[in-house]
Amino acid sequence: DPRRLQAASEARNEEARSACAEFAQNKLDGNATGNGAGNDMDMDVGGTTEAPAHAPVIAGTEARIAQDVNLTMQLATKLDEEKGILENRMLGPELTAEPTERLDLLLDYLWQVHGVDYYASKELLATEYGTRKTRSRMVRPPVATSSAGELPTSSSEEESWAQALTEHWQSRADGTRAGPTESRIQ
């Protein structure tokens, strides 16, 4: 029923605005959760203590991290706009300059505020949105280097995964694809 989905969407948007304010306050207080990186296997991810699934190794390369920082910024801006988050201090110039830390913060933001499991290419439905606090999401693997300090080569399967990830989120960030709830309402 589209009316039920519309009501759930409006409730999710209100909760997202509240979650944004809470996330920003936690960061300002130095209590940002830091769930983005995959280097702490037993970390608390989304309220769980289970070890998170890791994205393919290619997601930990410097080039991919730089690309994902740009794409997650675009995606966060688009989703903030859709949910009526008008002022987001998380996307401003005070955001950490170190790319890996910046990406991890953005991945946490997308999950905690918008219910986006970036590396799994999943955006929670409005009716699932509340579960983001109790379920885990896929995380970035540790920054990729070989024992000789060189970047490992990626497989064609990983390259395909990375291309599909980019296409999926770019279409969402540029508005050519609606969110999962919105596409069901229309």
Side-chain angles (χ1 to χ4, degrees):
D1 179 16
R3 289 175 299 202
R4 226 173 66 201
L5 283 175
Q6 183 65 37
S9 178
E10 290 169 8
R12 179 215 44 214
N13 293 352
E14 181 61 37
E15 189 175 342
R17 289 189 290 273
S18 175
C20 177
E22 181 180 332
F23 190 90
Q25 189 60 52
N26 285 340
K27 182 184 178 290
L28 290 173
D29 292 345
N31 297 327
T33 57
N35 299 355
N39 53 1
D40 294 321
M41 289 299 293
D42 297 321
M43 68 188 143
D44 179 19
V45 177
T48 71
T49 55
E50 66 188 62
H54 284 102
V57 172
I58 193 172
T61 63
E62 288 182 29
R64 185 67 215 189
I65 288 170
Q67 183 176 358
D68 286 340
V69 165
N70 290 330
L71 188 50
T72 56
M73 287 285 289
Q74 291 174 35
L75 182 60
T77 300
K78 175 66 174 173
L79 296 176
D80 283 357
E81 178 184 297
E82 288 178 358
K83 292 178 180 73
I85 297 171
L86 304 176
E87 185 180 332
N88 184 346
R89 295 177 287 178
M90 298 308 303
L91 302 180
E94 66 277 3
L95 192 60
T96 178
E98 199 283 311
T100 304
E101 290 177 17
R102 186 176 202 152
L103 177 58
D104 290 343
L105 188 65
L106 286 161
L107 292 170
D108 289 342
Y109 178 81
L110 285 171
W111 179 245
Q112 293 177 30
V113 175
H114 295 294
V116 167
D117 188 344
Y118 181 79
Y119 289 122
S121 297
K122 177 154 175 57
E123 184 175 351
L124 298 177
L125 290 167
T127 55
E128 302 171 308
Y129 182 74
T131 68
R132 77 195 187 291
K133 295 180 179 181
T134 58
R135 64 197 285 184
S136 63
R137 63 179 169 84
M138 188 177 288
V139 295
R140 178 188 55 75
V143 175
T145 58
S146 70
S147 58
E150 301 170 4
L151 294 177
T153 58
S154 55
S155 68
S156 61
E157 187 176 297
E158 287 181 329
E159 293 285 344
S160 293
W161 171 86
Q163 182 63 35
L165 180 77
T166 299
E167 290 171 3
H168 178 81
W169 291 122
Q170 190 63 58
S171 68
R172 186 70 177 92
D174 65 21
T176 56
R177 185 174 54 80
T181 301
E182 291 70 21
S183 63
R184 292 178 185 194
I185 292 172
Q186 298 170 353

